[in-house]
Amino acid sequence: MAQPLLRQHHGAGFADPPGAEDGDFLQVHYKLIKPDESILEEEEDFSFELGSPNIFPEFNENLKGVQPEDNRKFAYTFPEDYPEEDLAGKECSFDVT
């Protein structure tokens, strides 16, 4: 579950808090899954700033608006010139909670 680290929403009776925005710090658990369904990479408690240029653009794009209870799944295609030939040009998927 995506957890906002710095921005907090308070008070009962208010509308649902807005989802994550650029500049928010999130803590997530993610898996990067290869086409054969094996896990290429997995990390719990991964903390990052949404919108950071140091994060895959697809990661930033797909986590905008995320709420703490959300689970997001999205594709990522490795560049054709990726140094690991078995991944070059391959589409994998992220599963982020």
Side-chain angles (χ1 to χ4, degrees):
M1 151 176 347
Q3 295 293 322
L5 294 180
L6 294 183
R7 186 173 59 164
Q8 296 181 10
H9 307 281
H10 302 284
F14 289 92
D16 288 338
E21 302 170 347
D22 283 349
D24 288 345
F25 286 83
L26 302 179
Q27 183 175 19
V28 300
H29 173 193
Y30 76 84
K31 295 178 189 174
L32 180 57
I33 304 166
K34 293 169 53 172
D36 67 3
E37 299 298 318
S38 63
I39 296 174
L40 176 64
E41 184 174 298
E42 181 173 12
E43 187 166 344
E44 292 195 34
D45 300 328
F46 175 65
S47 299
F48 68 101
E49 180 181 1
L50 190 62
S52 169
N54 300 325
I55 301 296
F56 290 126
E58 293 83 357
F59 211 76
N60 281 321
E61 264 177 44
N62 285 283
L63 293 179
K64 285 184 183 173
V66 72
Q67 296 280 348
E69 309 81 34
D70 289 352
N71 182 31
R72 300 274 175 105
K73 295 181 181 183
F74 52 92
Y76 174 75
T77 302
F78 282 90
E80 291 291 337
D81 61 351
Y82 194 72
E84 294 182 41
E85 289 182 20
D86 63 323
L87 295 175
K90 300 285 193 290
E91 183 176 285
C92 294
S93 62
F94 277 103
D95 186 348
V96 183
T97 53

